[in-house]
Amino acid sequence: SYDLTQPLSVSVALGQTARITCGGDNIGRKNVHWYQQKPGQAPVVVIYRNSNRPSGIPERFSGSNSGNTATLTISGAQDGDEADYFCQVWDSSTMLFGGGTNLAVL
Amino acid sequence: LQLQESGPGLVKPSETLSLNCLVSGGSINNNDYYWGWIRQTPRKGLEWIGSVFHSGSSHYNPSLQSRVSVSVDTSRSEFSLKMRSVTAADTSLYFCVGLRTGSYVADYWGQGVRVTVSS
């Protein structure tokens, strides 16, 4: 089966840039989606199809995908960005998620 | 578009878990969306269970395929999950979702319903 690997945690200073990675074999050939989940809430899409931002998501969220790594970048991280972030792909007729990364804003 | 799960919060081992999801604020016959179920545990994270189109065609997670079914009732604007022979490992937070066709991104999520498997 196809595995998606995310770091368990990432920390970033307030106002700085956070980068959360999602590793997978030739993931650059797939569409990667990113979700943000805050405690007690359902996940919310922050990036879809690698680099597209849904309406209502701040411009500080961006995504890229190449080779074996997809990256979610949060430029100028805010307190409200503290959350768990999950990457997701569709592979071999199966929806797959990364294990999730907890973002701490210091 | 809103999704709302319903169903028992407690199921006995070996029995069948049954959940429903009501689609409101939009049409369940929307060709742009599949309707599906995802569950979440602290240990396993997010796990896709299966999805169904309004026509009834469905896809399932291979690891669960033998004991789950997802069906749709367009007249009631609802879709459902049935999971047979549950064990404690099926204790989880269950979300119903709307998945965009083509990209399979979960644009819409219900609030989630916690299901515990215990005698």
Side-chain angles (χ1 to χ4, degrees):
Chain A
S1 65
Y2 191 80
D3 291 327
L4 296 173
T5 302
Q6 295 184 238
L8 280 176
S9 63
V10 168
S11 59
V12 61
L14 183 68
Q16 298 303 301
T17 296
R19 292 180 179 84
I20 298 172
T21 58
C22 178
D25 188 34
N26 286 316
I27 197 173
R29 298 182 181 182
K30 304 181 188 301
N31 282 320
V32 178
H33 316 301
W34 290 94
Y35 302 85
Q36 176 194 70
Q37 186 180 31
K38 296 182 179 179
Q41 298 181 19
V44 172
V45 182
V46 292
I47 292 290
Y48 65 96
R49 277 194 281 115
N50 303 317
S51 58
N52 295 276
R53 197 174 51 250
S55 60
I57 300 301
E59 290 184 9
R60 62 179 181 274
F61 287 87
S62 62
S64 62
N65 186 16
S66 178
N68 293 318
T69 305
T71 303
L72 173 67
T73 301
I74 307 172
S75 305
Q78 305 297 309
D79 285 336
D81 298 333
E82 280 207 337
D84 292 328
Y85 291 86
F86 298 89
C87 58
Q88 177 246 309
V89 302
W90 177 253
D91 177 79
S92 301
S93 299
T94 302
M95 188 178 186
L96 299 168
F97 290 91
T101 299
N102 179 260
L103 177 68
V105 180
L106 307 175
Chain B
L1 187 143
Q2 292 86 40
L3 304 176
Q4 179 64 59
E5 305 91 348
S6 62
L10 181 64
V11 182
K12 289 183 168 52
S14 80
E15 295 191 345
T16 296
L17 180 162
S18 296
L19 296 174
N20 293 320
C21 183
L22 177 65
V23 178
S24 61
S27 173
I28 199 169
N29 292 309
N30 189 330
N31 286 329
D32 292 334
Y33 285 92
Y34 287 96
W35 308 105
W37 294 91
I38 291 169
R39 66 183 182 179
Q40 184 175 30
T41 61
R43 190 176 73 87
K44 293 190 71 176
L46 291 165
E47 182 179 33
W48 171 69
I49 299 170
S51 308
V52 65
F53 198 55
H54 63 79
S55 63
S57 66
S58 55
H59 294 99
Y60 297 106
N61 186 323
S63 69
L64 298 169
Q65 184 169 344
S66 63
R67 58 189 187 96
V68 303
S69 63
V70 181
S71 59
V72 61
D73 185 340
T74 56
S75 67
R76 296 167 61 93
S77 199
E78 282 187 344
F79 60 101
S80 303
L81 167 68
K82 290 192 188 302
M83 181 179 291
R84 298 174 291 278
S85 304
V86 297
T87 69
D90 296 311
T91 293
S92 189
L93 180 62
Y94 287 78
F95 293 101
C96 62
V97 296
L99 305 171
R100 201 186 315 170
T101 56
S103 59
Y104 252 81
V105 57
D107 280 337
Y108 299 105
W109 295 70
Q111 64 184 23
V113 59
R114 190 163 301 279
V115 179
T116 300
V117 178
S118 174
S119 55

